[in-house]
Amino acid sequence: MDVDEAAKALAEIQRRNEQTLRQGTPRRFPAWYTYGSAASLTVVWASGDVSGWAAIAMMAAGVLATLGLAVLLERITGVRLRMRALRLAPIAIITGAMLVTAIVVGSVMRLLDVPVASTIGGLAGGVVAVIGMGRAQAAAADVRGPE
């Protein structure tokens, strides 16, 4: 194999990867996934308002629901993307925004002695997820330029 054949083969691999991204990546998540993910993450945050085995059960249920939704989405779309195929920055930005919102709102509620401060913080983080998840996914799934 000479240099020209290798370059053509690499270009073909890149073209097929871009085609897979365009055809297989949901530009917007389905509403059931968006709202379900926000609700399951809110359950995880709400576990901070209870103690003992109930907190552990709520946290486990929220994490399992989040993982289950991800598997269901993968099965429905039929495409399993590797993280190296997605842009990481939009995913990191929406995750950071959700965490900061939940922490700040929950902390303020706790300072105000609101009994369900973690739940309210989780709801605020869930609202950020619902608002930004579709845009973050669309930005993360954009075809990358040559590296």
Side-chain angles (χ1 to χ4, degrees):
M1 178 179 280
D2 65 354
V3 175
D4 289 335
E5 290 175 356
K8 286 179 183 177
L10 287 173
E12 179 64 17
I13 291 170
Q14 179 68 23
R15 187 189 66 76
R16 288 184 183 189
N17 189 31
E18 290 173 3
Q19 181 182 16
T20 300
L21 281 171
R22 278 191 297 275
Q23 291 176 349
T25 303
R27 301 305 291 171
R28 301 285 287 182
F29 285 122
W32 59 265
Y33 179 80
T34 301
Y35 290 106
S37 295
S40 64
L41 292 172
T42 300
V43 170
V44 172
W45 279 101
S47 68
D49 290 330
V50 295
S51 60
W53 65 270
I56 295 169
M58 287 174 69
M59 193 173 296
V63 169
L64 288 175
T66 301
L67 293 174
L69 286 167
V71 169
L72 186 60
L73 181 68
E74 181 181 305
R75 297 253 168 114
I76 288 174
T77 61
V79 175
R80 181 173 184 208
L81 290 176
R82 293 179 174 88
M83 283 304 294
R84 68 178 169 86
L86 296 175
R87 294 176 185 269
L88 187 57
I91 296 168
I93 290 169
I94 190 66
T95 302
M98 291 173 359
L99 288 172
V100 167
T101 302
I103 290 169
V104 168
V105 171
S107 297
V108 169
M109 293 295 112
R110 187 154 286 138
L111 287 172
L112 296 173
D113 289 330
V114 175
V116 288
S118 294
T119 302
I120 294 171
L123 286 170
V127 168
V128 170
V130 167
I131 291 170
M133 192 181 294
R135 292 183 190 121
Q137 171 62 13
D142 277 345
V143 176
R144 288 183 170 192
E147 295 179 2

